Amino acid sequence: MPEQKNQHYVPQHYLRAWATNGQLTVFHLESGGTFSEGTDSVCSRNYFYGKPPVVEKELADLEGHHARPLNDLRDGADLIDLSNRYIQLLLSFVTTQRTRTKATKEDIRDSDDFIRDAVREDLEADLYDERITWTSDLTEEEKEETLVNASLLGTHHYIMSLGIFGYIGIQDLQGVMLCNVTDRDFIVSDVPVVHDIPQYKRKHGLVPAGLANRGLQILCPIDRNRILLLYDPAVYSFSHNSQKQVLVKSPDIVDELNLLQFHNAESIVMFNSGSEDYIQELYNRIEEFRRREQITVPLETEAGRTEEVDKIPAYQVPKQSPDLPGCTTMIHLPYVKQRPDCRSIEVRNLAHKIFNETGAPDLGLIYSIRFFQELLDL
């Protein structure tokens, strides 16, 4: 097998918190079946980030850095024990993980027809003749397919770079650790990072939740007993102890937090063995939280033409929100798309500059990772 052929979209180091002897118990939503799978094979695809695997080594280095605060937390550290650099690494893990999943890639592929039309127009105008030397006698259809796939992969690389620098945009959020003190475990899915806007989603008909939106909450499972909660402090406040812990004492709230993983999952949820009956009970309630709504979104070609496309976004706010303990909501603030202290524009400008200077999406992602390491002096 070629080196680095099997590429993970949820890192092995992250999934090990739910594994026993390297094995995960996996529930498949489509079939309703439960299987045992190794962390080396679950949440992975051959050449997921491109063939040849030129970016995989750099991503492995990034995962090593992202794993450091997670390992400290799993070894007993609290949020207040983490250095500023480790907090930035933790935030970057959260925003990167959301962008690198198979769900993100499929969301991009939903624009396949739109991108294909743009590529076909460019081919007919001979715009690629001076930029590409075709290595074999390809038909026009094969050239089109090659360019479409390259465009889709390049878009994914760019979105991942936004995730890598995403920590800059969400540093205005506050964080607490939801600590499960019941006899039920937290579970995880193949799309573990959940966005929600409990205060505004119903009144404003919100479907996706962006990193910059007022009222944002981000939930990321850390292990079987803890979930990292990042929240907009202008809208919510949480009563917590001196370690920034919010104790979850109600099994019902644990169920609701686990149902968020069922809501967000593309195809699987993972848990430790011994909880199959419990997982089946949650699956029977999936429609309480799972949301897959079709909306119309604007898409723009490289030529600047914009069209409205009907699609079902990969990431949507859940139908319901968990009744989190110790939460107070400021109900007087109006909804805005951009929090005043959010620096998401800075993130986009940084990623855009790197990709423009490198000229190739795989190089753009590689240099994004290297510049991230320079910024944090890693």
Side-chain angles (χ1 to χ4, degrees):
M1 179 181 292
E3 185 180 6
Q4 298 174 325
K5 173 182 177 181
N6 185 42
Q7 301 171 2
H8 285 76
Y9 50 87
V10 181
Q12 290 190 72
H13 75 78
Y14 177 69
L15 294 175
R16 288 189 184 112
W18 289 269
T20 300
N21 298 323
Q23 292 294 119
L24 290 157
T25 306
V26 180
F27 181 86
H28 290 253
L29 271 63
E30 184 175 357
S31 68
T34 302
F35 308 91
S36 179
E37 297 185 39
T39 57
D40 58 343
S41 61
V42 74
C43 294
S44 67
R45 292 290 185 275
N46 288 342
Y47 301 115
F48 184 75
Y49 301 108
K51 182 179 181 180
V54 293
V55 303
E56 183 64 13
K57 180 183 181 301
E58 304 285 339
L59 283 171
D61 291 341
L62 179 67
E63 288 178 6
H65 295 304
H66 280 162
R68 289 155 66 182
L70 286 169
N71 290 339
D72 274 14
L73 290 170
R74 290 168 176 177
D75 286 341
D78 293 308
L79 285 176
I80 61 170
D81 300 321
L82 300 184
S83 66
N84 288 337
R85 181 185 299 173
Y86 269 34
I87 290 293
Q88 290 172 322
L89 284 171
L90 182 62
L91 296 181
S92 178
F93 167 77
V94 170
T95 52
T96 302
Q97 180 52 54
R98 185 172 169 87
T99 61
R100 67 182 296 185
T101 63
K102 185 169 177 282
T104 297
K105 201 167 186 179
E106 292 302 315
D107 192 48
I108 296 168
R109 188 164 288 280
D110 283 344
S111 305
D112 179 288
D113 292 340
F114 191 63
I115 293 173
R116 189 176 299 278
D117 289 342
V119 166
R120 188 176 295 125
E121 290 178 3
D122 290 344
L123 279 171
E124 291 173 354
D126 298 327
L127 296 183
Y128 296 103
D129 287 354
E130 296 182 359
R131 290 188 285 171
I132 299 177
T133 301
W134 300 104
T135 57
S136 59
D137 294 329
L138 299 178
T139 66
E140 290 302 308
E141 290 76 14
E142 290 170 333
K143 291 180 181 179
E144 178 183 305
E145 193 66 27
T146 299
L147 291 169
V148 168
N149 288 334
S151 179
L152 293 171
L153 182 61
T155 300
H156 193 202
H157 286 167
Y158 175 71
I159 291 175
M160 286 177 62
S161 74
L162 294 175
I164 291 167
F165 297 119
Y167 74 98
I168 298 172
I170 63 170
Q171 288 185 104
D172 63 310
L173 301 181
Q174 295 290 320
V176 292
M177 193 68 75
L178 304 179
C179 296
N180 181 1
V181 295
T182 75
D183 59 358
R184 301 179 183 179
D185 288 347
F186 288 139
I187 66 173
V188 72
S189 78
D190 52 354
V191 192
V193 179
V194 180
H195 285 194
D196 196 5
I197 310 184
Q199 170 61 7
Y200 300 111
K201 63 183 178 184
R202 289 186 180 86
K203 180 178 180 180
H204 295 274
L206 303 178
V207 179
L211 286 178
N213 295 160
R214 172 171 283 174
L216 177 67
Q217 292 183 1
I218 303 175
L219 298 102
C220 177
I222 299 298
D223 55 30
R224 302 176 203 173
N225 298 308
R226 287 172 295 180
I227 292 176
L228 174 66
L229 169 63
L230 304 170
Y231 62 92
D232 180 356
V235 179
Y236 316 101
S237 64
F238 282 86
S239 299
H240 55 76
N241 62 24
S242 58
Q243 283 76 44
K244 287 194 171 182
Q245 298 172 338
V246 175
L247 302 184
V248 180
K249 302 177 182 180
S250 167
D252 290 341
I253 297 176
V254 173
D255 293 350
E256 292 176 355
L257 288 163
N258 283 337
L259 281 165
L260 290 182
Q261 292 297 307
F262 271 93
H263 152 70
N264 228 41
E266 188 201 25
S267 58
I268 62 173
V269 297
M270 293 157 280
F271 57 100
N272 190 247
S273 60
S275 302
E276 291 187 29
D277 290 342
Y278 172 62
I279 296 301
Q280 186 62 53
E281 290 174 6
L282 290 178
Y283 178 63
N284 292 338
R285 297 175 56 191
I286 190 172
E287 291 305 319
E288 294 178 25
F289 279 75
R290 190 168 174 87
R291 187 181 188 190
R292 293 295 184 270
E293 184 175 331
Q294 180 171 289
I295 61 174
T296 301
V297 298
L299 291 177
E300 185 175 342
T301 66
E302 294 179 1
R305 189 181 81 243
T306 301
E307 291 188 14
E308 300 292 321
V309 177
D310 293 331
K311 62 183 298 185
I312 301 175
Y315 298 104
Q316 302 192 11
V317 295
K319 289 180 182 177
Q320 293 189 42
S321 301
D323 185 15
L324 297 176
C327 180
T328 300
T329 302
M330 276 58 81
I331 62 175
H332 64 284
L333 287 176
Y335 172 72
V336 293
K337 291 184 178 181
Q338 178 84 34
R339 297 187 307 276
D341 295 327
C342 178
R343 297 162 59 190
S344 61
I345 294 176
E346 182 178 334
V347 174
R348 290 190 174 275
N349 289 342
L350 179 57
H352 188 68
K353 181 176 184 293
I354 292 173
F355 271 66
N356 276 348
E357 290 179 352
T358 55
D362 51 359
L363 289 178
L365 181 55
I366 288 171
Y367 277 90
S368 292
I369 295 171
R370 293 179 181 178
F371 188 59
F372 168 77
Q373 293 170 333
E374 290 180 15
L375 284 175
L376 271 62
D377 194 23
L378 300 172

